[in-house]
Amino acid sequence: MSFTYQVLVRWSDIDSYDHVNNVRYFDYLQEARIAFLAQVMGTTGDYFAQYPVVLVSQTVDYLRPIHLRHPPYDVDVWVAAVGTTSYTLGSRIVDRSGESEDVYAKAESVLVVVDGETQAKRQLGDAERAALLQHVVTT
């Protein structure tokens, strides 16, 4: 089961080539990742205060340029794998405004869980692991 978050392209996201600058893709992925994790863990406040994590790796495959327009683009997020101290999220930026589903980017993000005070790596708690495992999607 994946989660979908909508992002609107802002004028400031556009570069001199008249499309979204590639670093902005990371912003879109981050916004969706935070919303997804807050929903998965059922947090109503600051997700990172309750479940501190650090993004340790993120790869993005740029498949086509994103342009300034309305309606929003969708960012799908899912859990790809769960380890003992980390988990991997899959993401993709998609246009579903027309008759087809066009994928603009695919990403993989690895997050390590840490202690909120010391920032030392820690093991996933039972509640975290259970919540994440409910959202694993194999592609």
Side-chain angles (χ1 to χ4, degrees):
M1 172 173 108
S2 69
F3 166 88
T4 300
Y5 180 84
Q6 293 189 324
V7 292
L8 280 171
V9 176
R10 299 169 293 263
W11 178 256
S12 60
D13 297 344
I14 304 301
D15 63 16
S16 61
Y17 297 108
D18 204 28
H19 57 70
V20 171
N21 185 285
N22 61 348
V23 264
R24 293 293 177 224
Y25 285 60
F26 285 85
D27 292 337
Y28 300 160
L29 296 166
Q30 176 179 262
E31 289 174 30
R33 183 173 62 245
I34 292 169
F36 171 72
L37 290 172
Q39 179 178 306
V40 165
M41 297 301 180
T43 57
T44 55
D46 180 3
Y47 169 80
F48 297 105
Q50 290 182 287
Y51 303 101
V53 297
V54 175
L55 179 69
V56 296
S57 174
Q58 183 164 258
T59 58
V60 178
D61 293 331
Y62 301 97
L63 305 175
R64 58 179 52 172
I66 295 175
H67 296 281
L68 180 65
R69 63 113 204 251
H70 194 72
Y73 292 88
D74 291 338
V75 182
D76 297 334
V77 184
W78 62 91
V79 177
V82 179
T84 56
T85 61
S86 66
Y87 51 93
T88 303
L89 300 180
S91 304
R92 63 189 195 142
I93 301 173
V94 183
D95 179 9
R96 294 189 175 100
S97 65
E99 292 183 23
S100 64
E101 182 174 282
D102 299 321
V103 179
Y104 284 71
K106 293 180 183 179
E108 185 175 272
S109 306
V110 179
L111 296 105
V112 170
V113 295
V114 296
D115 178 276
E117 291 183 24
T118 65
Q119 297 299 305
K121 182 169 50 172
R122 64 175 174 83
Q123 290 197 351
L124 278 164
D126 292 340
E128 289 171 291
R129 174 178 300 289
L132 290 165
L133 287 172
Q134 289 181 1
H135 297 278
V136 172
V137 174
T138 55
T139 55

